[in-house]
PDB file of all heavy atoms in Angstrom:
ATOM      1  N   SER A 162     -35.187   7.346  -8.645  1.00  0.00           N
ATOM      2  CA  SER A 162     -34.686   7.818  -9.946  1.00  0.00           C
ATOM      3  C   SER A 162     -34.210   6.742 -10.906  1.00  0.00           C
ATOM      4  O   SER A 162     -34.083   6.995 -12.129  1.00  0.00           O
ATOM      5  CB  SER A 162     -33.530   8.786  -9.743  1.00  0.00           C
ATOM      6  OG  SER A 162     -33.949   9.913  -9.008  1.00  0.00           O
ATOM      7  N   TYR A 163     -33.892   5.503 -10.421  1.00  0.00           N
ATOM      8  CA  TYR A 163     -33.375   4.480 -11.236  1.00  0.00           C
ATOM      9  C   TYR A 163     -34.031   3.167 -11.057  1.00  0.00           C
ATOM     10  O   TYR A 163     -34.365   2.737  -9.898  1.00  0.00           O
ATOM     11  CB  TYR A 163     -31.852   4.243 -10.891  1.00  0.00           C
ATOM     12  CG  TYR A 163     -31.079   5.523 -10.874  1.00  0.00           C
ATOM     13  CD1 TYR A 163     -30.751   6.237  -9.775  1.00  0.00           C
ATOM     14  CD2 TYR A 163     -30.715   6.141 -12.111  1.00  0.00           C
ATOM     15  CE1 TYR A 163     -30.125   7.438  -9.788  1.00  0.00           C
ATOM     16  CE2 TYR A 163     -29.917   7.379 -12.212  1.00  0.00           C
ATOM     17  CZ  TYR A 163     -29.683   8.043 -11.015  1.00  0.00           C
ATOM     18  OH  TYR A 163     -29.015   9.220 -11.035  1.00  0.00           O
ATOM     19  N   GLN A 164     -34.263   2.508 -12.194  1.00  0.00           N
ATOM     20  CA  GLN A 164     -34.902   1.136 -12.168  1.00  0.00           C
ATOM     21  C   GLN A 164     -33.871   0.038 -11.692  1.00  0.00           C
ATOM     22  O   GLN A 164     -34.197  -0.898 -11.035  1.00  0.00           O
ATOM     23  CB  GLN A 164     -35.485   0.789 -13.458  1.00  0.00           C
ATOM     24  CG  GLN A 164     -36.223  -0.597 -13.511  1.00  0.00           C
ATOM     25  CD  GLN A 164     -37.508  -0.532 -12.604  1.00  0.00           C
ATOM     26  OE1 GLN A 164     -37.920   0.535 -12.314  1.00  0.00           O
ATOM     27  NE2 GLN A 164     -37.919  -1.723 -12.271  1.00  0.00           N
ATOM     28  N   ALA A 165     -32.625   0.279 -12.095  1.00  0.00           N
ATOM     29  CA  ALA A 165     -31.536  -0.735 -11.781  1.00  0.00           C
ATOM     30  C   ALA A 165     -30.135   0.029 -11.717  1.00  0.00           C
ATOM     31  O   ALA A 165     -30.068   1.039 -12.288  1.00  0.00           O
ATOM     32  CB  ALA A 165     -31.562  -1.821 -12.856  1.00  0.00           C
ATOM     33  N   VAL A 166     -29.307  -0.633 -10.983  1.00  0.00           N
ATOM     34  CA  VAL A 166     -27.964  -0.106 -10.871  1.00  0.00           C
ATOM     35  C   VAL A 166     -26.987  -1.242 -11.019  1.00  0.00           C
ATOM     36  O   VAL A 166     -27.144  -2.415 -10.589  1.00  0.00           O
ATOM     37  CB  VAL A 166     -27.768   0.504  -9.383  1.00  0.00           C
ATOM     38  CG1 VAL A 166     -28.201  -0.475  -8.325  1.00  0.00           C
ATOM     39  CG2 VAL A 166     -26.400   0.926  -9.200  1.00  0.00           C
ATOM     40  N   GLY A 167     -25.800  -0.906 -11.690  1.00  0.00           N
ATOM     41  CA  GLY A 167     -24.676  -1.906 -11.879  1.00  0.00           C
ATOM     42  C   GLY A 167     -23.504  -1.447 -11.187  1.00  0.00           C
ATOM     43  O   GLY A 167     -23.033  -0.311 -11.464  1.00  0.00           O
ATOM     44  N   ALA A 168     -22.825  -2.334 -10.415  1.00  0.00           N
ATOM     45  CA  ALA A 168     -21.634  -1.878  -9.692  1.00  0.00           C
ATOM     46  C   ALA A 168     -20.485  -2.951 -10.013  1.00  0.00           C
ATOM     47  O   ALA A 168     -20.540  -4.085  -9.561  1.00  0.00           O
ATOM     48  CB  ALA A 168     -21.840  -1.954  -8.192  1.00  0.00           C
ATOM     49  N   PHE A 169     -19.611  -2.563 -10.883  1.00  0.00           N
ATOM     50  CA  PHE A 169     -18.563  -3.315 -11.383  1.00  0.00           C
ATOM     51  C   PHE A 169     -17.236  -3.201 -10.578  1.00  0.00           C
ATOM     52  O   PHE A 169     -16.691  -2.054 -10.563  1.00  0.00           O
ATOM     53  CB  PHE A 169     -18.210  -3.028 -12.863  1.00  0.00           C
ATOM     54  CG  PHE A 169     -19.309  -3.364 -13.800  1.00  0.00           C
ATOM     55  CD1 PHE A 169     -20.390  -2.380 -13.922  1.00  0.00           C
ATOM     56  CD2 PHE A 169     -19.395  -4.520 -14.569  1.00  0.00           C
ATOM     57  CE1 PHE A 169     -21.481  -2.655 -14.747  1.00  0.00           C
ATOM     58  CE2 PHE A 169     -20.456  -4.634 -15.443  1.00  0.00           C
ATOM     59  CZ  PHE A 169     -21.494  -3.721 -15.593  1.00  0.00           C
ATOM     60  N   SER A 170     -16.922  -4.135  -9.759  1.00  0.00           N
ATOM     61  CA  SER A 170     -15.774  -4.007  -8.881  1.00  0.00           C
ATOM     62  C   SER A 170     -15.831  -2.652  -8.075  1.00  0.00           C
ATOM     63  O   SER A 170     -14.907  -1.920  -8.127  1.00  0.00           O
ATOM     64  CB  SER A 170     -14.379  -4.041  -9.710  1.00  0.00           C
ATOM     65  OG  SER A 170     -14.353  -5.207 -10.500  1.00  0.00           O
ATOM     66  N   PRO A 171     -16.965  -2.523  -7.336  1.00  0.00           N
ATOM     67  CA  PRO A 171     -17.112  -1.146  -6.780  1.00  0.00           C
ATOM     68  C   PRO A 171     -16.291  -0.888  -5.501  1.00  0.00           C
ATOM     69  O   PRO A 171     -15.955  -1.875  -4.765  1.00  0.00           O
ATOM     70  CB  PRO A 171     -18.614  -1.206  -6.412  1.00  0.00           C
ATOM     71  CG  PRO A 171     -18.884  -2.595  -6.130  1.00  0.00           C
ATOM     72  CD  PRO A 171     -18.101  -3.367  -7.161  1.00  0.00           C
ATOM     73  N   ALA A 172     -15.845   0.319  -5.296  1.00  0.00           N
ATOM     74  CA  ALA A 172     -15.251   0.650  -4.146  1.00  0.00           C
ATOM     75  C   ALA A 172     -16.326   0.944  -3.009  1.00  0.00           C
ATOM     76  O   ALA A 172     -16.748   2.068  -2.746  1.00  0.00           O
ATOM     77  CB  ALA A 172     -14.332   1.872  -4.299  1.00  0.00           C
ATOM     78  N   THR A 173     -16.683  -0.123  -2.377  1.00  0.00           N
ATOM     79  CA  THR A 173     -17.879  -0.025  -1.474  1.00  0.00           C
ATOM     80  C   THR A 173     -17.587   0.570  -0.170  1.00  0.00           C
ATOM     81  O   THR A 173     -18.497   0.844   0.637  1.00  0.00           O
ATOM     82  CB  THR A 173     -18.513  -1.447  -1.309  1.00  0.00           C
ATOM     83  OG1 THR A 173     -17.515  -2.278  -0.842  1.00  0.00           O
ATOM     84  CG2 THR A 173     -19.043  -1.945  -2.674  1.00  0.00           C
ATOM     85  N   ASP A 174     -16.300   0.551   0.282  1.00  0.00           N
ATOM     86  CA  ASP A 174     -16.000   0.966   1.690  1.00  0.00           C
ATOM     87  C   ASP A 174     -14.868   1.934   1.652  1.00  0.00           C
ATOM     88  O   ASP A 174     -13.695   1.533   1.452  1.00  0.00           O
ATOM     89  CB  ASP A 174     -15.691  -0.214   2.497  1.00  0.00           C
ATOM     90  CG  ASP A 174     -15.433   0.068   4.003  1.00  0.00           C
ATOM     91  OD1 ASP A 174     -15.617   1.297   4.410  1.00  0.00           O
ATOM     92  OD2 ASP A 174     -14.989  -0.855   4.755  1.00  0.00           O
ATOM     93  N   TRP A 175     -15.090   3.167   1.998  1.00  0.00           N
ATOM     94  CA  TRP A 175     -14.002   4.241   2.020  1.00  0.00           C
ATOM     95  C   TRP A 175     -13.627   4.534   3.413  1.00  0.00           C
ATOM     96  O   TRP A 175     -12.650   5.265   3.736  1.00  0.00           O
ATOM     97  CB  TRP A 175     -14.473   5.554   1.406  1.00  0.00           C
ATOM     98  CG  TRP A 175     -14.814   5.432  -0.009  1.00  0.00           C
ATOM     99  CD1 TRP A 175     -16.084   5.067  -0.572  1.00  0.00           C
ATOM    100  CD2 TRP A 175     -14.007   5.596  -1.061  1.00  0.00           C
ATOM    101  NE1 TRP A 175     -15.995   5.094  -1.921  1.00  0.00           N
ATOM    102  CE2 TRP A 175     -14.762   5.445  -2.340  1.00  0.00           C
ATOM    103  CE3 TRP A 175     -12.589   6.055  -1.249  1.00  0.00           C
ATOM    104  CZ2 TRP A 175     -14.182   5.512  -3.575  1.00  0.00           C
ATOM    105  CZ3 TRP A 175     -12.106   6.181  -2.448  1.00  0.00           C
ATOM    106  CH2 TRP A 175     -12.881   5.906  -3.683  1.00  0.00           C
ATOM    107  N   GLY A 176     -14.325   3.901   4.405  1.00  0.00           N
ATOM    108  CA  GLY A 176     -13.999   4.104   5.887  1.00  0.00           C
ATOM    109  C   GLY A 176     -12.671   3.551   6.235  1.00  0.00           C
ATOM    110  O   GLY A 176     -12.305   2.527   5.795  1.00  0.00           O
ATOM    111  N   GLY A 177     -11.917   4.335   7.067  1.00  0.00           N
ATOM    112  CA  GLY A 177     -10.658   3.747   7.554  1.00  0.00           C
ATOM    113  C   GLY A 177      -9.497   3.922   6.638  1.00  0.00           C
ATOM    114  O   GLY A 177      -8.388   3.637   7.003  1.00  0.00           O
ATOM    115  N   MET A 178      -9.725   4.389   5.371  1.00  0.00           N
ATOM    116  CA  MET A 178      -8.696   4.483   4.440  1.00  0.00           C
ATOM    117  C   MET A 178      -8.229   5.904   4.275  1.00  0.00           C
ATOM    118  O   MET A 178      -9.042   6.896   4.050  1.00  0.00           O
ATOM    119  CB  MET A 178      -9.127   3.964   3.092  1.00  0.00           C
ATOM    120  CG  MET A 178      -7.974   4.032   1.983  1.00  0.00           C
ATOM    121  SD  MET A 178      -8.608   3.438   0.385  1.00  0.00           S
ATOM    122  CE  MET A 178      -9.316   4.985  -0.224  1.00  0.00           C
ATOM    123  N   GLU A 179      -6.964   6.206   4.406  1.00  0.00           N
ATOM    124  CA  GLU A 179      -6.429   7.574   4.142  1.00  0.00           C
ATOM    125  C   GLU A 179      -6.262   7.741   2.625  1.00  0.00           C
ATOM    126  O   GLU A 179      -5.535   7.054   2.043  1.00  0.00           O
ATOM    127  CB  GLU A 179      -5.121   7.712   4.896  1.00  0.00           C
ATOM    128  CG  GLU A 179      -5.196   7.756   6.352  1.00  0.00           C
ATOM    129  CD  GLU A 179      -6.021   8.926   6.843  1.00  0.00           C
ATOM    130  OE1 GLU A 179      -6.027  10.008   6.166  1.00  0.00           O
ATOM    131  OE2 GLU A 179      -6.585   8.844   7.962  1.00  0.00           O
ATOM    132  N   PRO A 180      -7.150   8.511   2.021  1.00  0.00           N
ATOM    133  CA  PRO A 180      -7.074   8.695   0.557  1.00  0.00           C
ATOM    134  C   PRO A 180      -5.718   9.044   0.040  1.00  0.00           C
ATOM    135  O   PRO A 180      -5.273   8.481  -1.046  1.00  0.00           O
ATOM    136  CB  PRO A 180      -8.083   9.859   0.336  1.00  0.00           C
ATOM    137  CG  PRO A 180      -8.929   9.877   1.440  1.00  0.00           C
ATOM    138  CD  PRO A 180      -8.098   9.513   2.675  1.00  0.00           C
ATOM    139  N   GLU A 181      -4.953   9.866   0.755  1.00  0.00           N
ATOM    140  CA  GLU A 181      -3.658  10.257   0.263  1.00  0.00           C
ATOM    141  C   GLU A 181      -2.722   9.008   0.128  1.00  0.00           C
ATOM    142  O   GLU A 181      -1.783   9.037  -0.722  1.00  0.00           O
ATOM    143  CB  GLU A 181      -3.023  11.361   1.141  1.00  0.00           C
ATOM    144  CG  GLU A 181      -3.722  12.624   1.132  1.00  0.00           C
ATOM    145  CD  GLU A 181      -5.015  12.704   2.072  1.00  0.00           C
ATOM    146  OE1 GLU A 181      -5.249  11.619   2.663  1.00  0.00           O
ATOM    147  OE2 GLU A 181      -5.664  13.702   2.024  1.00  0.00           O
ATOM    148  N   GLU A 182      -2.913   8.033   1.028  1.00  0.00           N
ATOM    149  CA  GLU A 182      -1.982   6.908   0.965  1.00  0.00           C
ATOM    150  C   GLU A 182      -2.088   6.063  -0.259  1.00  0.00           C
ATOM    151  O   GLU A 182      -1.136   5.621  -0.816  1.00  0.00           O
ATOM    152  CB  GLU A 182      -2.270   5.940   2.247  1.00  0.00           C
ATOM    153  CG  GLU A 182      -1.917   6.644   3.648  1.00  0.00           C
ATOM    154  CD  GLU A 182      -2.192   5.766   4.722  1.00  0.00           C
ATOM    155  OE1 GLU A 182      -2.700   4.558   4.466  1.00  0.00           O
ATOM    156  OE2 GLU A 182      -2.106   6.125   5.854  1.00  0.00           O
ATOM    157  N   ARG A 183      -3.411   5.923  -0.806  1.00  0.00           N
ATOM    158  CA  ARG A 183      -3.552   5.072  -1.924  1.00  0.00           C
ATOM    159  C   ARG A 183      -3.818   5.941  -3.270  1.00  0.00           C
ATOM    160  O   ARG A 183      -3.349   5.537  -4.321  1.00  0.00           O
ATOM    161  CB  ARG A 183      -4.792   4.228  -1.768  1.00  0.00           C
ATOM    162  CG  ARG A 183      -5.166   3.345  -2.937  1.00  0.00           C
ATOM    163  CD  ARG A 183      -6.140   2.287  -2.594  1.00  0.00           C
ATOM    164  NE  ARG A 183      -5.596   1.291  -1.613  1.00  0.00           N
ATOM    165  CZ  ARG A 183      -6.229   0.348  -1.080  1.00  0.00           C
ATOM    166  NH1 ARG A 183      -7.534   0.181  -1.437  1.00  0.00           N
ATOM    167  NH2 ARG A 183      -5.804  -0.529  -0.248  1.00  0.00           N
ATOM    168  N   LEU A 184      -4.514   7.031  -3.109  1.00  0.00           N
ATOM    169  CA  LEU A 184      -4.894   7.743  -4.328  1.00  0.00           C
ATOM    170  C   LEU A 184      -4.052   8.933  -4.565  1.00  0.00           C
ATOM    171  O   LEU A 184      -4.125   9.546  -5.646  1.00  0.00           O
ATOM    172  CB  LEU A 184      -6.420   8.151  -4.094  1.00  0.00           C
ATOM    173  CG  LEU A 184      -7.266   6.995  -3.921  1.00  0.00           C
ATOM    174  CD1 LEU A 184      -8.772   7.621  -3.685  1.00  0.00           C
ATOM    175  CD2 LEU A 184      -7.282   6.049  -4.926  1.00  0.00           C
ATOM    176  N   GLY A 185      -3.273   9.427  -3.574  1.00  0.00           N
ATOM    177  CA  GLY A 185      -2.371  10.633  -3.817  1.00  0.00           C
ATOM    178  C   GLY A 185      -2.915  11.921  -3.700  1.00  0.00           C
ATOM    179  O   GLY A 185      -2.440  12.911  -4.043  1.00  0.00           O
ATOM    180  N   HIS A 186      -4.297  11.982  -3.269  1.00  0.00           N
ATOM    181  CA  HIS A 186      -4.869  13.302  -3.053  1.00  0.00           C
ATOM    182  C   HIS A 186      -6.081  13.041  -2.046  1.00  0.00           C
ATOM    183  O   HIS A 186      -6.484  11.977  -1.853  1.00  0.00           O
ATOM    184  CB  HIS A 186      -5.455  13.862  -4.439  1.00  0.00           C
ATOM    185  CG  HIS A 186      -6.436  12.896  -5.075  1.00  0.00           C
ATOM    186  ND1 HIS A 186      -7.658  12.796  -4.786  1.00  0.00           N
ATOM    187  CD2 HIS A 186      -6.162  11.983  -6.041  1.00  0.00           C
ATOM    188  CE1 HIS A 186      -8.265  11.858  -5.484  1.00  0.00           C
ATOM    189  NE2 HIS A 186      -7.373  11.484  -6.305  1.00  0.00           N
ATOM    190  N   GLY A 187      -6.621  14.120  -1.751  1.00  0.00           N
ATOM    191  CA  GLY A 187      -7.901  14.107  -0.793  1.00  0.00           C
ATOM    192  C   GLY A 187      -9.153  13.801  -1.553  1.00  0.00           C
ATOM    193  O   GLY A 187      -9.161  13.917  -2.835  1.00  0.00           O
ATOM    194  N   LEU A 188     -10.208  13.520  -0.852  1.00  0.00           N
ATOM    195  CA  LEU A 188     -11.550  13.238  -1.488  1.00  0.00           C
ATOM    196  C   LEU A 188     -12.540  14.153  -0.837  1.00  0.00           C
ATOM    197  O   LEU A 188     -12.374  14.477   0.413  1.00  0.00           O
ATOM    198  CB  LEU A 188     -11.998  11.741  -1.381  1.00  0.00           C
ATOM    199  CG  LEU A 188     -11.085  10.824  -2.302  1.00  0.00           C
ATOM    200  CD1 LEU A 188     -11.340   9.338  -1.781  1.00  0.00           C
ATOM    201  CD2 LEU A 188     -11.532  10.929  -3.646  1.00  0.00           C
ATOM    202  N   PRO A 189     -13.737  14.436  -1.321  1.00  0.00           N
ATOM    203  CA  PRO A 189     -14.754  15.016  -0.641  1.00  0.00           C
ATOM    204  C   PRO A 189     -15.332  14.057   0.395  1.00  0.00           C
ATOM    205  O   PRO A 189     -14.866  12.882   0.545  1.00  0.00           O
ATOM    206  CB  PRO A 189     -15.824  15.192  -1.751  1.00  0.00           C
ATOM    207  CG  PRO A 189     -15.183  15.014  -3.029  1.00  0.00           C
ATOM    208  CD  PRO A 189     -14.058  13.995  -2.707  1.00  0.00           C
ATOM    209  N   ASP A 190     -16.286  14.434   1.214  1.00  0.00           N
ATOM    210  CA  ASP A 190     -16.983  13.612   2.226  1.00  0.00           C
ATOM    211  C   ASP A 190     -17.689  12.611   1.410  1.00  0.00           C
ATOM    212  O   ASP A 190     -18.491  12.861   0.456  1.00  0.00           O
ATOM    213  CB  ASP A 190     -17.932  14.382   3.092  1.00  0.00           C
ATOM    214  CG  ASP A 190     -17.183  15.351   4.039  1.00  0.00           C
ATOM    215  OD1 ASP A 190     -15.963  15.034   4.408  1.00  0.00           O
ATOM    216  OD2 ASP A 190     -17.661  16.382   4.451  1.00  0.00           O
ATOM    217  N   MET A 191     -17.388  11.311   1.661  1.00  0.00           N
ATOM    218  CA  MET A 191     -18.095  10.242   0.906  1.00  0.00           C
ATOM    219  C   MET A 191     -19.234   9.690   1.652  1.00  0.00           C
ATOM    220  O   MET A 191     -19.237   9.464   2.934  1.00  0.00           O
ATOM    221  CB  MET A 191     -16.999   9.090   0.617  1.00  0.00           C
ATOM    222  CG  MET A 191     -15.729   9.516  -0.048  1.00  0.00           C
ATOM    223  SD  MET A 191     -16.007  10.196  -1.740  1.00  0.00           S
ATOM    224  CE  MET A 191     -16.071   8.724  -2.586  1.00  0.00           C
ATOM    225  N   MET A 192     -20.276   9.292   0.982  1.00  0.00           N
ATOM    226  CA  MET A 192     -21.464   8.644   1.643  1.00  0.00           C
ATOM    227  C   MET A 192     -21.141   7.236   2.029  1.00  0.00           C
ATOM    228  O   MET A 192     -20.480   6.515   1.316  1.00  0.00           O
ATOM    229  CB  MET A 192     -22.657   8.781   0.679  1.00  0.00           C
ATOM    230  CG  MET A 192     -23.090  10.081   0.366  1.00  0.00           C
ATOM    231  SD  MET A 192     -24.554  10.047  -0.787  1.00  0.00           S
ATOM    232  CE  MET A 192     -24.933  11.811  -0.877  1.00  0.00           C
ATOM    233  N   GLU A 193     -21.646   6.756   3.204  1.00  0.00           N
ATOM    234  CA  GLU A 193     -21.561   5.351   3.542  1.00  0.00           C
ATOM    235  C   GLU A 193     -22.693   4.555   2.997  1.00  0.00           C
ATOM    236  O   GLU A 193     -23.808   4.824   3.172  1.00  0.00           O
ATOM    237  CB  GLU A 193     -21.588   5.295   5.054  1.00  0.00           C
ATOM    238  CG  GLU A 193     -20.413   5.922   5.772  1.00  0.00           C
ATOM    239  CD  GLU A 193     -19.169   5.051   5.597  1.00  0.00           C
ATOM    240  OE1 GLU A 193     -19.268   3.871   5.256  1.00  0.00           O
ATOM    241  OE2 GLU A 193     -17.996   5.625   5.815  1.00  0.00           O
ATOM    242  N   LEU A 194     -22.277   3.596   2.151  1.00  0.00           N
ATOM    243  CA  LEU A 194     -23.317   2.893   1.383  1.00  0.00           C
ATOM    244  C   LEU A 194     -24.365   2.141   2.334  1.00  0.00           C
ATOM    245  O   LEU A 194     -25.469   1.929   2.078  1.00  0.00           O
ATOM    246  CB  LEU A 194     -22.704   1.894   0.381  1.00  0.00           C
ATOM    247  CG  LEU A 194     -21.885   2.520  -0.747  1.00  0.00           C
ATOM    248  CD1 LEU A 194     -21.401   1.507  -1.706  1.00  0.00           C
ATOM    249  CD2 LEU A 194     -22.768   3.540  -1.541  1.00  0.00           C
ATOM    250  N   LYS A 195     -23.665   1.528   3.374  1.00  0.00           N
ATOM    251  CA  LYS A 195     -24.545   0.791   4.356  1.00  0.00           C
ATOM    252  C   LYS A 195     -25.512   1.633   5.014  1.00  0.00           C
ATOM    253  O   LYS A 195     -26.649   1.163   5.267  1.00  0.00           O
ATOM    254  CB  LYS A 195     -23.640   0.039   5.351  1.00  0.00           C
ATOM    255  CG  LYS A 195     -22.781  -1.063   4.751  1.00  0.00           C
ATOM    256  CD  LYS A 195     -22.032  -1.892   5.718  1.00  0.00           C
ATOM    257  CE  LYS A 195     -21.215  -3.011   5.186  1.00  0.00           C
ATOM    258  NZ  LYS A 195     -20.425  -3.775   6.166  1.00  0.00           N
ATOM    259  N   THR A 196     -25.163   2.848   5.339  1.00  0.00           N
ATOM    260  CA  THR A 196     -25.942   3.845   5.992  1.00  0.00           C
ATOM    261  C   THR A 196     -27.187   4.160   5.089  1.00  0.00           C
ATOM    262  O   THR A 196     -28.361   4.251   5.490  1.00  0.00           O
ATOM    263  CB  THR A 196     -25.308   5.088   6.459  1.00  0.00           C
ATOM    264  OG1 THR A 196     -24.234   4.688   7.355  1.00  0.00           O
ATOM    265  CG2 THR A 196     -26.210   6.041   7.056  1.00  0.00           C
ATOM    266  N   LEU A 197     -26.752   4.423   3.733  1.00  0.00           N
ATOM    267  CA  LEU A 197     -27.858   4.731   2.826  1.00  0.00           C
ATOM    268  C   LEU A 197     -28.841   3.598   2.630  1.00  0.00           C
ATOM    269  O   LEU A 197     -30.117   3.761   2.613  1.00  0.00           O
ATOM    270  CB  LEU A 197     -27.251   5.013   1.444  1.00  0.00           C
ATOM    271  CG  LEU A 197     -26.328   6.211   1.258  1.00  0.00           C
ATOM    272  CD1 LEU A 197     -25.745   6.312  -0.074  1.00  0.00           C
ATOM    273  CD2 LEU A 197     -27.137   7.443   1.586  1.00  0.00           C
ATOM    274  N   LEU A 198     -28.284   2.288   2.605  1.00  0.00           N
ATOM    275  CA  LEU A 198     -29.069   1.188   2.562  1.00  0.00           C
ATOM    276  C   LEU A 198     -30.020   1.027   3.814  1.00  0.00           C
ATOM    277  O   LEU A 198     -31.313   0.790   3.596  1.00  0.00           O
ATOM    278  CB  LEU A 198     -28.213  -0.099   2.475  1.00  0.00           C
ATOM    279  CG  LEU A 198     -28.962  -1.458   2.419  1.00  0.00           C
ATOM    280  CD1 LEU A 198     -29.832  -1.505   1.172  1.00  0.00           C
ATOM    281  CD2 LEU A 198     -27.934  -2.617   2.468  1.00  0.00           C
ATOM    282  N   GLU A 199     -29.534   1.257   4.922  1.00  0.00           N
ATOM    283  CA  GLU A 199     -30.321   1.140   6.184  1.00  0.00           C
ATOM    284  C   GLU A 199     -31.463   2.147   6.146  1.00  0.00           C
ATOM    285  O   GLU A 199     -32.588   1.948   6.526  1.00  0.00           O
ATOM    286  CB  GLU A 199     -29.475   1.285   7.359  1.00  0.00           C
ATOM    287  CG  GLU A 199     -28.449   0.185   7.649  1.00  0.00           C
ATOM    288  CD  GLU A 199     -27.418   0.539   8.723  1.00  0.00           C
ATOM    289  OE1 GLU A 199     -27.478   1.658   9.294  1.00  0.00           O
ATOM    290  OE2 GLU A 199     -26.469  -0.261   9.003  1.00  0.00           O
ATOM    291  N   ASN A 200     -31.065   3.385   5.696  1.00  0.00           N
ATOM    292  CA  ASN A 200     -32.164   4.442   5.659  1.00  0.00           C
ATOM    293  C   ASN A 200     -33.235   4.162   4.762  1.00  0.00           C
ATOM    294  O   ASN A 200     -34.444   4.347   5.010  1.00  0.00           O
ATOM    295  CB  ASN A 200     -31.479   5.775   5.268  1.00  0.00           C
ATOM    296  CG  ASN A 200     -30.461   6.373   6.335  1.00  0.00           C
ATOM    297  OD1 ASN A 200     -30.545   5.929   7.474  1.00  0.00           O
ATOM    298  ND2 ASN A 200     -29.630   7.202   5.900  1.00  0.00           N
ATOM    299  N   ASP A 201     -32.914   3.545   3.574  1.00  0.00           N
ATOM    300  CA  ASP A 201     -33.921   3.109   2.616  1.00  0.00           C
ATOM    301  C   ASP A 201     -34.904   2.019   3.123  1.00  0.00           C
ATOM    302  O   ASP A 201     -36.152   2.116   2.990  1.00  0.00           O
ATOM    303  CB  ASP A 201     -33.253   2.615   1.297  1.00  0.00           C
ATOM    304  CG  ASP A 201     -32.631   3.705   0.460  1.00  0.00           C
ATOM    305  OD1 ASP A 201     -32.973   4.955   0.622  1.00  0.00           O
ATOM    306  OD2 ASP A 201     -31.761   3.409  -0.363  1.00  0.00           O
ATOM    307  N   LEU A 202     -34.234   1.019   3.805  1.00  0.00           N
ATOM    308  CA  LEU A 202     -35.000  -0.059   4.257  1.00  0.00           C
ATOM    309  C   LEU A 202     -35.891   0.416   5.472  1.00  0.00           C
ATOM    310  O   LEU A 202     -37.042   0.013   5.583  1.00  0.00           O
ATOM    311  CB  LEU A 202     -34.115  -1.128   4.729  1.00  0.00           C
ATOM    312  CG  LEU A 202     -33.271  -1.851   3.663  1.00  0.00           C
ATOM    313  CD1 LEU A 202     -32.362  -2.884   4.214  1.00  0.00           C
ATOM    314  CD2 LEU A 202     -34.248  -2.502   2.628  1.00  0.00           C
ATOM    315  N   ALA A 203     -35.329   1.262   6.249  1.00  0.00           N
ATOM    316  CA  ALA A 203     -36.210   1.785   7.374  1.00  0.00           C
ATOM    317  C   ALA A 203     -37.316   2.677   6.934  1.00  0.00           C
ATOM    318  O   ALA A 203     -38.405   2.646   7.552  1.00  0.00           O
ATOM    319  CB  ALA A 203     -35.270   2.632   8.378  1.00  0.00           C
ATOM    320  N   ALA A 204     -37.163   3.359   5.777  1.00  0.00           N
ATOM    321  CA  ALA A 204     -38.241   4.160   5.306  1.00  0.00           C
ATOM    322  C   ALA A 204     -39.174   3.354   4.336  1.00  0.00           C
ATOM    323  O   ALA A 204     -40.170   3.982   3.816  1.00  0.00           O
ATOM    324  CB  ALA A 204     -37.571   5.280   4.528  1.00  0.00           C
ATOM    325  N   GLY A 205     -38.887   2.126   4.148  1.00  0.00           N
ATOM    326  CA  GLY A 205     -39.708   1.301   3.251  1.00  0.00           C
ATOM    327  C   GLY A 205     -39.628   1.603   1.829  1.00  0.00           C
ATOM    328  O   GLY A 205     -40.613   1.428   1.100  1.00  0.00           O
TER     329      GLY A 205
END
């Protein structure tokens, strides 16, 4: 869908962080960026 992507100071890792501790509320299920990357590379 996209020719290019820009990530400015991105929050790349949500794992192991309790959202309520830092953000004050819960979050939806977040995608793991490394997993998405691995899937793309494996699929060519």
Side-chain angles (χ1 to χ4, degrees):
S162 295
Y163 307 101
Q164 183 65 21
V166 54
F169 299 76
S170 311
T173 55
D174 184 7
W175 297 88
M178 184 183 79
E179 292 295 332
E181 293 81 0
E182 293 179 3
R183 178 170 292 175
L184 306 178
H186 58 81
L188 288 167
D190 291 334
M191 307 295 280
M192 296 177 173
E193 293 288 343
L194 296 182
K195 290 183 180 180
T196 300
L197 296 177
L198 177 65
E199 291 171 2
N200 292 341
D201 288 342
L202 296 175

